[in-house]
Amino acid sequence: QVQLVESGGGLVQAGGSLRLSCVTSGYIFPINGWGWYRQTPGNQREFVAAIANGGSTTYTDSVKGRFTIARDNAKNTLYLQMHSLKPEDTGVYFCAAMRSVAMRAPHDNWGQGTQVTVSS
């Protein structure tokens, strides 16, 4: 099992920035990369961004150019830098170990998430 501890969420005005962090530990096989997902009440988790072990990244269209995913392997920490935030970015953000970055397929192993609220 992988343990995932997200932090960095908060309340921010539209146009603002936040940086989310996720400390990872443990192991699950295979790990093709790491990703961020978000969920709003009544909806399923949706893919936001992922980074493969080789460093390539992929983003959902709505965050391209505004969000940047990165991983510090020495610190076992995944980051999501978010700029130009919009109210529609509001949700609980979760990090995930990815079975396949290309398929945007996470392992079903989740932390508690961190709440991001963007006010208009």
Side-chain angles (χ1 to χ4, degrees):
Q1 288 287 326
V2 173
Q3 289 75 51
L4 306 162
V5 181
E6 302 92 341
S7 63
L11 173 63
V12 63
Q13 288 188 331
S17 299
L18 283 174
R19 189 177 79 157
L20 307 184
S21 299
C22 173
V23 177
T24 68
S25 60
Y27 191 73
I28 192 168
F29 182 81
I31 296 180
N32 181 243
W34 301 88
W36 286 97
Y37 288 73
R38 65 187 176 197
Q39 187 172 25
T40 53
N43 295 310
Q44 292 184 334
R45 283 189 188 96
E46 64 172 353
F47 173 81
V48 176
I51 183 167
N53 292 337
S56 61
T57 58
T58 182
Y59 299 89
T60 193
D61 286 348
S62 63
V63 308
K64 285 180 180 177
R66 300 189 298 120
F67 291 11
T68 302
I69 188 171
R71 176 159 171 89
D72 186 332
N73 288 322
K75 296 182 178 180
N76 290 327
T77 302
L78 181 71
Y79 301 99
L80 186 68
Q81 180 67 57
M82 306 185 293
H83 294 298
S84 302
L85 282 160
K86 304 176 181 180
E88 51 264 43
D89 295 319
T90 294
V92 180
Y93 283 69
F94 300 87
C95 63
M98 302 295 289
R99 292 187 292 111
S100 169
V101 169
M103 298 296 292
R104 300 183 174 180
H107 284 283
D108 189 18
N109 185 168
W110 304 95
Q112 84 289 347
T114 186
Q115 175 72 47
V116 172
T117 303
V118 184
S119 63
S120 57

